[in-house]
Amino acid sequence: DHSVKELLSGRCDIAIAGGVHAGQNATFWSIFSQLGALSHKQKITPFNEDADGLLIGEGGGFVVLKRLDTALKDNDRIYAVIKGVGISSDGSGVSVMAPAVKGQRLAIQEAWENANMDKKKLGYVEAHGTATVVGDKTELSSLADVFPKEECDKEVLLGSVKSNVGHAMPAAGILGLIKTTLALYN
């Protein structure tokens, strides 16, 4: 969000955006264990009826962002165009493990409105998908609120990079962006 705004404002011509999560300590694991967020089956399966929690992953990723006109002028290889971004907290949920639909819906609506696209063109959503019962249910409700079936032309596919790499905290978002971009590009 910050990088896109800086590019659009003209304050910079190139931005590097990303996220990294590496090296957990005993306190980190203890907190997630006490929250009951870790999968007892040792398998993360976002949006699956048998999902029982997340696995922690490590990773990092970065993307180079430019305004489309600058990238075209520079003859860069363009993997994707970001049409819109949106940010929001999950709102005032009961706890960190119980996000609120209101906050998630706000972020999704903001991004979609910024993109100025027709909902009938939606074909895929790269979701947060923690594989926690409350988290996944909340996310599905948020998506259904913003993209009701009757406003979408086709079935919308849903995925989460966490099923491949675990929950890599701040790296998970950028890894989802990279996964989706490369899947569409290739």
Side-chain angles (χ1 to χ4, degrees):
D1 180 70
H2 185 73
S3 295
V4 168
K5 285 180 180 170
E6 290 298 307
L7 288 164
L8 292 176
S9 76
R11 287 176 36 133
C12 64
D13 293 323
I14 188 169
I16 298 174
V20 173
H21 181 69
Q24 298 99 23
N25 58 37
T27 304
F28 180 87
W29 284 99
S30 176
I31 289 168
F32 275 87
S33 181
Q34 289 173 24
L35 287 171
L38 299 175
S39 170
H40 296 289
K41 292 186 279 186
Q42 298 293 301
K43 185 175 182 185
I44 184 169
T45 54
F47 307 111
N48 185 299
E49 63 185 22
D50 297 326
D52 72 337
L54 56 90
L55 295 178
I56 305 297
E58 293 182 318
F62 295 88
V63 294
V64 176
L65 303 176
K66 289 185 175 182
R67 287 181 302 279
L68 181 59
D69 60 336
T70 305
L72 289 169
K73 183 183 74 163
D74 293 345
N75 203 29
D76 292 332
R77 181 181 301 169
I78 300 168
Y79 289 92
V81 175
I82 297 173
K83 296 278 195 171
V85 295
I87 59 170
S88 175
S89 73
D90 282 338
S92 54
V94 178
S95 75
V96 69
M97 293 303 297
V101 171
K102 179 182 172 187
Q104 290 188 2
R105 184 175 51 228
L106 181 63
I108 297 165
Q109 284 173 322
E110 181 181 333
W112 198 256
E113 287 167 12
N114 286 337
N116 195 27
M117 292 180 62
D118 185 352
K119 290 181 182 177
K120 294 182 184 312
K121 293 187 177 194
L122 181 65
Y124 177 76
V125 172
E126 176 64 23
H128 189 62
T130 59
T132 60
V133 175
V134 175
D136 284 0
K137 182 179 177 185
T138 301
E139 187 168 12
L140 289 172
S141 294
S142 303
L143 288 166
D145 283 358
V146 179
F147 304 112
K149 278 186 180 182
E150 54 275 1
E151 292 183 26
C152 298
D153 252 1
K154 55 191 169 226
E155 192 172 289
V156 177
L157 301 174
L158 182 69
S160 172
V161 75
K162 290 178 186 74
S163 62
N164 301 100
V165 300
H167 194 337
M169 305 303 157
I174 197 67
L175 295 174
L177 175 66
I178 292 168
K179 170 196 153 192
T180 303
T181 298
L182 289 176
L184 293 172
Y185 182 82
N186 289 307

